[in-house]
Amino acid sequence: MKSILIVEDEKLIRQGIRTMIQRSGVPVDLIMECANGEMALETVKSQDIEVMFTDIRMPKMDGIELVRRIHEEVENPPMIVAISGYDDFAYAVEMMRNGVREYILKPVEREKIVEVLNMLERELSQKKEHYQKERKIGINQIRHVFTDDVTSEEMSLLIQKYEKAFFPEPYVVVCACGACDIADRDSYFLVPDMDEGAVAIVLESDVSAFIRNELGENCIGISNPHRGIAELKAAFREAFCARKKAFCIGAGKQLTYENLMNLPPVREELRAIGESLLDESSRMQRMQRIGTDKTEELTQLWDKFFQTVSKGYIEPDEFIDEMTNFLAEASRFYRNSFGDEDEKNVAKLQKILRYETLDEFEEDFSSWMMEIHERINQHDDEDKNRHKIEKAIEFVRENYKSNLNMAVVSNQISMNYTLFSYSFKQYTGKNFTTYLKEVRVNEAKRLLEETDMKIMDISSEVGFENEKNFMKVFKKECGVSASEYRKNVLR
């Protein structure tokens, strides 16, 4: 049970009821007290109260008036239990006609409190279970609106059935990558496991807090404000368009649809560069260099393609179509070299926007493509690449405190970006991002164990841009927060 309000003008009785509740065995997160009906009415209006115990005879506003006002003025009134002396029984009956759930005589007995609390707890649990079922149905209907062509008749039925349960205030749709760890809360609608990634519908007034608490620095797209179920489809399209652009730009970009519409157009000569990489000739070059001895040429072709996308010379939808078609074509073209793992990798890569950024997708794609390439091409100079990767690892261990990424390290050892991605994973068994994260977290663990440095200073010392990102990564890697880890070590 989340919250209980005790309304009683006699302090000793209030405290006695509080003690009985605390010892009842029914878990309660918050117990509040009010000395009169006026205070109680304001509390119920401003707080989410699940159960209220109220006396009948009180100064300023008695229990009968309090109950009447609550049911008239509060959208989601609490379950109410009346408490009174024997002489007030007639009043209690009147209150029960007005929605009071139970009636308890003074002096209040602990057994009666326990009985009433257990009954109300069962009802609240059933109510919550029903709410969750209805919410799940509602979210499936939202998914239907997002992904299918909904007729005007279907939309009218959805509005009729779900409009009252939907946000009455302006909302926005937020699209993020599929790997985002967004908690499912009642304060917003989360539509998970969509091919487009994680999608949430959030009140416009709450969106800043939602992004800060749930998404941090993830690349996301945000719609313009909208109202009602009828505008859901349009809101989703806006957020999805912004998300695709944010994916291509990368580096923590959080793009609203309004910002997207105000981006300057790409110059014609630059657009022509992008279009030239989408023609049949360029496409076949990228395909047919796989499995040849022209490894450097192959990686340069793909590097140029991805750079052109990140600069905006190729539109996000064009990139998605190109990669989807390439993956399907590669599955046919190199089917004799494909194994079960390749099928799994292609299936993962085809869900492009479940990756957070273009860089993350490129790293996975390049690693897989080079694996296919090397499997077909037997002229790989493994010794040379291994030596370079050993230098790269040494460089990472010496410079993890600085702003490192795969481009910086591959340039340091004079190795092509795509080839480096593949070779690094072959040598270490991990992709570069994961390896760097582990190096930083291991150093953070050492500092937590051996020093009394503040956690904020440790996060900076090991190369994280901000403390919040460090805390999130540390907990994900170690299973506990940094402060909990330090406490465990000290024990």
Side-chain angles (χ1 to χ4, degrees), residues 275-328:
E275 290 175 352
S276 70
L277 296 182
L278 295 173
D279 64 25
E280 187 64 23
S281 173
S282 296
R283 184 179 297 117
M284 291 310 296
Q285 284 185 47
R286 292 192 294 271
M287 176 73 72
Q288 293 179 351
R289 292 299 185 276
I290 296 175
T292 69
D293 59 357
K294 298 179 179 179
T295 302
E296 191 72 19
E297 189 175 330
L298 169 69
T299 55
Q300 286 175 356
L301 285 170
W302 279 106
D303 283 352
K304 182 179 180 181
F305 176 73
F306 281 110
Q307 287 171 15
T308 305
V309 175
S310 67
K311 291 175 181 177
Y313 306 164
I314 293 175
E315 290 296 321
D317 284 336
E318 293 174 329
F319 165 73
I320 292 169
D321 288 344
E322 180 69 16
M323 292 309 306
T324 301
N325 292 335
F326 175 85
L327 289 165

Side-chain angles (χ1 to χ4, degrees), residues 105-163:
L105 274 173
K106 291 181 180 179
V108 179
E109 296 178 351
R110 179 176 175 276
E111 292 75 13
K112 187 63 177 176
I113 290 285
V114 172
E115 177 190 334
V116 169
L117 284 175
N118 278 309
M119 178 195 72
L120 296 179
E121 175 72 3
R122 284 193 299 272
E123 289 192 28
L124 285 168
S125 296
Q126 291 169 0
K127 184 179 179 182
K128 185 175 182 180
E129 185 178 342
H130 176 74
Y131 168 79
Q132 292 299 339
K133 286 180 180 178
E134 287 294 310
R135 182 180 173 86
K136 188 174 182 180
I137 294 170
I139 288 174
N140 285 334
Q141 293 300 325
I142 289 172
R143 187 195 302 274
H144 174 52
V145 172
F146 284 170
T147 57
D148 301 322
D149 291 327
V150 179
T151 66
S152 57
E153 184 178 351
E154 286 177 316
M155 181 60 74
S156 296
L157 289 172
L158 288 173
I159 292 171
Q160 182 180 349
K161 187 168 183 180
Y162 295 107
E163 190 76 57

Side-chain angles (χ1 to χ4, degrees), residues 381-392:
D381 186 359
E382 293 182 358
D383 289 338
K384 179 180 177 181
N385 288 342
R386 182 181 296 110
H387 181 65
K388 285 192 172 185
I389 296 301
E390 286 171 352
K391 283 188 174 182

